Amino acid sequence: MTVNHSGDSDGVTGAGDGVGADGGAGAGGGASAALAGVRVIELATLFAGPLATAFLGDFGADVVKVEHPAKPDPSRGHGPAKDGIGLWWKVLGRNKRTVTANLSDPAGADVLRRLVADADVLVENFRPGTLERWGIGPAELHAVNPRLVIARISGFGQFGPYARRPGFGTLAEAMSGFAAATGEPDGPPTLPPFGLADSVTAMSTAYAVMLALRARDASGAGQVVDLAIIEPIMAMLGPQITWYDQIGYVQPRLGNRSNNNAPRNTYRCADGRWVAVSTSAQSIAERVLRLVGRPELIDEPWFGTGGGRAAHADVLDAAVGAWVAARDREEVVAAFEQAQAAVAPIYDVRDVLADPQYTALGTAVSVPDPDLGPVRMQNVPFRMSATPGQIRHTGRGHGQDTDDVLTALGFTDDEIAELRAGGAI
């Protein structure tokens, strides 16, 4: 990938002073990082945009997060805290430098123009029309830097009857069909207890940005990427639209069961812990029934297809459930593994951190933090043999890097003081 600058001799400097981190991700902050030399400006809060830029920063992009001087990203105070320090921000703000600018102030908007002049990517999630109202919409930014890739995240997209509505991941989980298909058959539609739609949108945004950068390599021009949070989650829901379009089928709520195969459910063990069983393959289904002592069910005419087994889920769940209920979880998992049948213990975070497979993969990493000391968090989500990623530092303080970044852009000390006095930064 070609970037429009080399090294860090001018403009925005690289985040080379970040602390290192151990774990399986490797040293992704140096010249070997896949996105070394790519500069990203983030104008985003809660949560899709900031997570997307974190994914880019994990692989070496120089991410500069711009926050309002008096109203920082609410994720800094979101969720549990330790000694008054928000913990979510330490993860979401990783590998970023932080500056402040009031973009509705002409002087603050000018700071942004100077930031994007030598940047590759801008990610924003203001309500559609906001940047245009401030005179820093895509047309104005592309006049400054035609090579800039601008990713715009909003609840409902940049156009259409809902475009100017406030949007959050919860609304996308509701409107996408996810909630309608999630939960027990006789229970209410169920929302996830975490930012699922935001996270899927973040991954989609990082992917879209890479596509736009690749296209820029060919054309020399940047472009605008429009991401509506209500859309990426639909890619996870399978062929629901096609099913309805072709045969009028609407997927119902099935709890932990599937209408494509059985047994497929969660089962409680004798020690009160739980396991999940999946039998998507016919051979696995047969192994499970032999393991639990019910081989005669394999000879039933309905057992030969996933749909046939799903139609008899009560019978199959009773067989598997009774066998599992008589044994502790360790015994259940060991027996399934010996039988080459598919099972997984149902973990909470304590189990995750103690599991040897996650330990081998380096899935959790300990990162030094100036406020909290060592902080464990999820590592980068995949491994690359030649250009690995790395969490170089945790989320930094509000506006911590403002003076350094503006100085690198050519602002003098007097100009920075004047901007600060006027509330522009």
Side-chain angles (χ1 to χ4, degrees):
M1 173 186 307
T2 303
V3 294
N4 61 356
H5 42 71
S6 61
D8 290 305
S9 58
D10 58 2
V12 182
T13 59
D17 59 345
V19 295
D22 57 18
S32 66
L35 297 181
V38 174
R39 292 176 180 161
V40 179
I41 309 301
E42 178 200 312
L43 317 177
T45 61
L46 291 178
F47 288 97
L51 185 56
T53 61
F55 290 144
L56 299 174
D58 289 345
F59 285 89
D62 174 23
V63 180
V64 177
K65 181 179 179 67
V66 181
E67 297 174 85
H68 191 281
K71 294 177 285 187
D73 188 332
S75 66
R76 290 181 177 274
H78 213 77
K82 180 181 179 182
D83 300 329
I85 299 169
L87 299 177
W88 202 331
W89 166 251
K90 294 296 184 179
V91 178
L92 195 62
R94 68 186 185 270
N95 293 340
K96 303 176 186 180
R97 294 182 295 152
T98 60
V99 305
T100 59
N102 181 356
L103 301 179
S104 65
D105 183 307
D110 185 58
V111 170
L112 178 65
R113 292 187 188 94
R114 292 174 69 169
L115 277 170
V116 303
D118 197 30
D120 298 287
V121 179
L122 181 140
V123 177
E124 66 98 358
N125 71 342
F126 289 100
R127 202 177 303 188
T130 301
L131 291 185
E132 286 84 350
R133 189 170 69 250
W134 294 338
I136 46 176
E140 292 81 6
L141 296 179
H142 277 148
V144 174
N145 179 359
R147 292 173 55 82
L148 185 68
V149 171
I150 302 173
R152 314 194 75 177
I153 302 171
S154 61
F156 301 98
Q158 296 296 311
F159 57 91
Y162 303 161
R164 293 182 182 267
R165 289 183 182 179
F168 298 97
T170 297
L171 308 187
E173 290 145 11
M175 291 181 64
S176 63
F178 174 86
T182 305
E184 294 298 323
D186 56 352
T190 301
L191 297 167
F194 57 92
L196 176 62
D198 279 301
S199 299
V200 176
T201 300
M203 281 285 190
S204 299
T205 301
Y207 172 51
V209 163
M210 299 311 300
L211 294 177
L213 289 174
R214 178 66 182 88
R216 191 188 68 179
D217 286 349
S219 69
Q223 62 180 291
V224 177
V225 181
D226 178 9
L227 292 116
I229 298 176
I230 59 172
E231 289 185 304
I233 190 173
M234 288 189 184
M236 298 179 57
L237 299 180
Q240 289 195 18
I241 291 175
T242 305
W243 281 340
Y244 179 74
D245 174 68
Q246 294 296 303
I247 59 175
Y249 177 76
V250 178
Q251 183 170 327
R253 289 190 291 282
L254 299 169
N256 291 318
R257 288 180 172 176
S258 167
N259 54 9
N260 300 311
N261 65 83
R264 192 267 198 181
N265 213 324
T266 60
Y267 305 94
R268 184 168 180 151
C269 304
D271 55 8
R273 296 185 291 178
W274 294 77
V275 296
V277 173
S278 176
T279 57
S280 296
Q282 179 71 20
S283 60
I284 299 296
E286 293 176 5
R287 291 172 194 168
V288 169
L289 269 296
R290 292 191 182 98
L291 173 64
V292 302
R294 297 295 303 275
E296 75 280 3
L297 294 176
I298 299 173
D299 296 327
E300 293 288 343
W302 47 261
F303 195 89
T305 65
R309 297 197 309 274
H312 293 81
D314 287 344
V315 173
L316 297 172
D317 276 344
V320 176
W323 186 90
V324 170
R327 293 160 176 82
D328 289 347
R329 189 172 74 180
E330 287 187 8
E331 181 183 354
V332 170
V333 171
F336 266 75
E337 289 184 352
Q338 185 174 3
Q340 298 184 50
V343 70
I346 293 179
Y347 279 174
D348 63 22
V349 66
R350 295 167 294 187
D351 301 309
V352 167
L353 292 174
D355 185 271
Q357 181 62 30
Y358 283 126
T359 299
L361 295 174
T363 304
V365 64
S366 181
V367 186
D369 180 81
D371 301 314
L372 302 171
V375 176
R376 282 193 291 180
M377 62 181 67
Q378 298 98 319
N379 209 337
V380 298
F382 49 85
R383 287 154 293 282
M384 298 177 69
S385 62
T387 56
Q390 181 193 31
I391 300 176
R392 301 180 297 281
H393 60 80
T394 58
R396 293 160 74 85
H398 179 224
Q400 180 174 338
D401 304 291
T402 301
D403 287 11
D404 289 343
V405 170
L406 267 60
T407 297
L409 290 172
F411 287 88
T412 67
D413 290 345
D414 289 342
E415 288 173 327
I416 292 172
E418 183 178 351
L419 289 169
R420 185 166 282 119
I425 63 173

